[in-house]
Structures are given as C-alpha cells and as structure tokens.
Amino acid sequence: MQPFYEQFCELLTTGVPFVCVTLVASMGSIPQQPGAKMLVTAQGLHVGTIGGGKIEFRALEEAKALLAEARNPVGQCIQFSEWNLNQDLSMSCGGSVKLVFEVINAQAWPIVVYGAGHIAQALIPILLTLDCQVTCIDTRADWLAMLPVSPRITLIQTGDMPATVANLPEEAFVLLMTMGHGSDRPVLLEILKTRQFPYLGVIGSRAKAARLKKDIAEAGLPATCQEAFFCPVGLDLGNNQPPEIAVSVAAQLLKERDRWRNSP
C-alpha cells in the first residue's frame, strides 16, 4: 500500500481534486478483500484497485460524477453505496459490495488577491493554512517572489491587471490591495462592469471608499454597484499593523464564505 499512500499525500498536497474509493464490505465472489482502495481524479483511475471488471468500472463512473458534483459549494463530499452484483451490475455471480466514496480537494476555496504588498505578505501565509487555492496578481515580480512557495498558490505578474478579471473563477473571493487607489480603481470598475463574485473587498479607509463610490458613479454604473464591495475590509478588531489587519481580513473572508455557502 506504500505507493498508494504516497500518491494520496501528493494529490492532497498539490490540491488536485480526487476521490478515495474504499471497499468496506463484500459478500460472495469478489476479487478484492475489504479495505481495497483506489484513487480517482477527473482523468480516471490514478492508483489502486478495488478488483477491476464491472465493479471497478461502475465505481470509476460514480467517483467521477461525485467529483463533478462536489465542485458545487453544497455538493456531496462523501457517499456510501451498496450494490447487488446481479441486480445492479448484471453480473452472473451472486453477492454484494459496499463502497465508500470520499471526495477530497474538490471544494478548495478560490481566493484572488490583487497586490503582493505588506498586507498580502502577512495575509497569504494565513490563507495557505486553510483549504483554499490562492492566486496573487501584481505588476511587481520582486514582491511576488517574496510570497511563500506552495502548490496552493498561483503567482501572476502582469502589467494589465484588469485584463485578468475575465479569467477568474465564478466562486472566487476577490481582494484588491494593490499599491493604491490608482491601481485598485481600474480593477474594481472592470469587476463591477463584467463580473459578480461572492465576495469583493478593497483595502482602504472610509475616505477611500467614498472616493471609489464617486468613481463608480462617474463611470455610469448602477448605484447598486456602490454597495457591492467591502471597503474598508476586515472585521472591526485589532490595530493597523499588517499582521493584525491580515487576521481581521482572514476572519471576514471566513465569515462571508460560511454565509455564502449556507445561503439558500
């Protein structure tokens, strides 16, 4: 089983969505014993086996379907199945199997941070301890290079940050904390014109929030857009030092994530 667990750990660490299928009980003529396992990704069988043949084929199809479903925030992440080999799988031999399907990494939470400055440098290491996938976008390669190295973070260096908005995942929680109003504004306006995310925040003071709302009005966007983002970001706690701001922002992200996932 050593290669199996090595592959399990690798998939877990790299954030690849997969399903662990375990044969937990069997009766009749079954080619594998209870405890047999296999890992399934969107591409199909990754490693292991629960016996091959019709049982494994059906399990692979179930695993891939469950994996696709679980990408939805309210999708199912564990499933127990019991199949009669004759009735459910059209196998001539009698007996039955019980399987458990565990979906892992499918609901990795996408968080996009525009800006790799001091607050991002304090915030992103906190986020990487959570079940999330972080993307950080900045014009400055040297600041991006100071962020932690992790399979859970994607770094994008570009001179046209608004152009990246079109490629963000629908479920992304988006934070704008670039070098200032001049670089936050075009990204914010592009998002408000073209996208809608579960969370949108812009770092700054209440005075900056008022300025951004004026920018939105001048851009001819609906008045509702002026209330479509958090500014200032973070919960009302701590001081204005980067580590404490980072904690307050992470707390707000968690709060809004849970509210969004639990909403009807």
Side-chain angles (χ1 to χ4, degrees):
M1 292 292 285
Q2 188 65 24
F4 174 91
Y5 288 111
E6 289 174 356
Q7 290 296 311
F8 184 99
C9 291
E10 182 178 345
L11 291 173
L12 185 66
T13 302
T14 56
V16 174
F18 68 100
V19 180
C20 179
V21 185
T22 305
L23 177 64
V24 294
S26 64
M27 183 177 65
S29 180
I30 308 298
Q32 276 283 7
Q33 297 296 315
K37 298 176 181 291
M38 68 179 183
L39 303 180
V40 182
T41 67
Q43 286 68 47
L45 179 63
H46 186 75
V47 70
T49 180
I50 58 167
K54 289 187 176 181
I55 298 172
E56 188 158 295
F57 179 81
R58 171 72 176 274
L60 284 168
E61 294 302 304
E62 289 278 333
K64 287 190 285 186
L66 189 60
L67 188 60
E69 176 191 342
R71 293 178 185 277
N72 186 299
V74 296
Q76 191 173 1
C77 283
I78 190 165
Q79 174 178 296
F80 298 90
S81 296
E82 182 173 2
W83 301 330
N84 180 286
L85 301 187
N86 183 266
Q87 297 175 6
D88 298 320
L89 302 179
S90 300
M91 295 175 66
S92 57
C93 55
S96 63
V97 293
K98 292 182 180 180
L99 302 169
V100 60
F101 297 78
E102 299 172 88
V103 184
I104 301 168
N105 284 343
Q107 291 184 5
W109 174 26
I111 302 175
V112 179
V113 180
Y114 281 88
H118 294 292
I119 305 301
Q121 296 289 332
L123 173 64
I124 288 175
I126 296 173
L127 298 180
L128 292 177
T129 66
L130 306 175
D131 184 16
C132 66
Q133 191 70 35
V134 178
T135 299
C136 186
I137 304 169
D138 204 310
T139 59
R140 304 164 294 176
D142 53 338
W143 281 86
L144 288 169
M146 290 189 286
L147 290 166
V149 176
S150 168
R152 292 186 177 273
I153 185 170
T154 300
L155 306 179
I156 299 175
Q157 190 269 322
T158 177
D160 188 358
M161 290 191 289
T164 65
V165 169
N167 297 322
L168 302 185
E170 291 291 334
E171 306 85 8
F173 279 50
V174 182
L175 279 163
L176 309 185
M177 45 179 63
T178 68
M179 290 182 286
H181 172 264
S183 48
D184 284 336
R185 176 184 175 276
V187 180
L188 176 65
L189 292 179
E190 180 65 19
I191 291 172
L192 294 175
K193 288 176 183 177
T194 62
R195 303 296 303 273
Q196 186 172 359
F197 297 111
Y199 174 93
L200 176 60
V202 185
I203 198 163
S205 63
R206 289 182 174 82
K208 181 176 178 179
R211 174 68 183 275
L212 289 170
K213 290 179 180 181
K214 183 178 179 182
D215 293 334
I216 291 167
E218 291 175 351
L221 292 172
T224 53
C225 290
Q226 297 183 28
E227 307 301 326
F229 62 98
F230 290 89
C231 185
V233 292
L235 300 184
D236 188 14
L237 53 88
N239 58 34
N240 62 354
Q241 296 300 307
E244 297 202 14
I245 294 173
V247 170
S248 75
V249 172
Q252 184 178 62
L253 288 170
L254 286 168
K255 179 181 178 181
E256 292 303 312
R257 181 205 64 183
D258 292 348
R259 182 189 61 78
W260 174 63
R261 287 184 173 176
N262 294 326
S263 61

